[in-house]
Amino acid sequence: FNNLIKKLPRGFSDYFLINSKNEKITEILLDLGRQPQIRFFNDQVKYVSRKQTSWQDIDFIVKRINTFSKDNRSGFDHTLHRICCIRNRHFLITGLTCRIGRLTFGINCLIRDLLKSEKSILILGKPGTGKTTVIREFSRVLSNDMLKRVMVIDTSNEISGTGDSPHIAIGKARLLTVPKTKLQHEIMLEAVENHMPQIIIIDEISTKLESLAVKIIAEKGVKLIGTVHGSCLENIINNPDLSQLIGDVGYVTLSDELARQRKIQKSLLERKGNSSFNILVELYKKNEWIIHENLNQSIDRSINNIFNYKQFRKYISNEQIEVSYKLERSNYNSNLFLLGTPRYQYWKFNKFRTLSKKKNRHKLTIFLYSFSSNIIREIIIKNNLNLKISDSLQDATLIIGLQNNIKHNSKLLKMAKYEYGYL
């Protein structure tokens, strides 16, 4: 961090010399005509100086770092810091984002048991959640402690630092740099064909070609550790460029006869193949992750809107972790379940008794299906009935609808059969 401070103009660097919270800083932002600011881990923003950033300040920094690449990223040798620039329409630099790179030890203990296995791991998180820091630590542990042949594919020297010699943060892992971002899929295949690695680590998988390359590498028996942007599993399912990573989820059209036999719709959302990764790690919070140890099962339950157990792992201290489980429903919205999540699936797949028997039976809750609510309300008021109309199917104890519409809804009929024992 001190090497980065030396690259800043004197008026800006004075703040960091007297500040005791430098270890909590994540970014330093400089924009032309604005006061320089810093960001912390808790998303707090603070201004460094009252002086506005000038052309001279930006030029002072640019002359002391390496040349910017075509993706507008740079740095300086033997550090993990990343400096990105903002250009105007004349390609002149008008802003800089200095991302602080750190070497973090011990975070691997959260999934060290999974690292020892031969299963491929996909890490999911929003920008700034520490995905690169995590795989950097994984690279060191796998190559130094577990003595694996690890190959790191680095597009912008963010994992291994700027320079031809890799940073000590990745341990004994070998480095393959990517000259152009568009060529990353070719370098990934080259690593397998030329260097015989046991494990390949890839940062920021984002295109269809890269997803296809991951699929080819997985079929060759090489363990993969990669990162993608997103906040939950549903983001990958909805992303057409990344869906190949998890088995290429898409719509399948059934024949009329098969749809009639199964009593389901003709268009179904299904996983066409096995996922290239076996485990999904969601960077939920700082030092708290969500683990999907069976990714194929989690995908199927997500697209079918079924309740699923999520495993939470939290780092406490001294490599001690806390493991907990939570039953949650998928947030994925598809046209397969227009009525919401049927409770019979909750009972069928998770083997839990529904709470319907414990409800207060003296007051009926009505769910109206293709039926006017005004008519029912008028009947309730005139006859002074102890009934309640609900918009939620899960809270309903009685369903009222037109016969011609209900008999064609197989989901509704199955729910009635499994919940109440009659059709």
Side-chain angles (χ1 to χ4, degrees), residues 150-162:
V150 182
M151 186 71 67
V152 176
I153 312 296
D154 200 351
T155 54
S156 56
N157 296 327
E158 189 175 0
I159 304 176
S160 60
T162 306

Side-chain angles (χ1 to χ4, degrees), residues 151-192:
M151 186 71 67
V152 176
I153 312 296
D154 200 351
T155 54
S156 56
N157 296 327
E158 189 175 0
I159 304 176
S160 60
T162 306
D164 295 329
S165 58
H167 195 276
I168 60 171
I170 65 172
K172 298 178 182 179
R174 304 184 70 187
L175 175 66
L176 265 181
T177 56
V178 181
K180 295 181 181 179
T181 308
K182 296 180 179 180
L183 300 178
Q184 176 164 302
H185 62 284
E186 297 182 3
I187 303 299
M188 291 163 58
L189 296 175
E190 177 188 331
V192 179

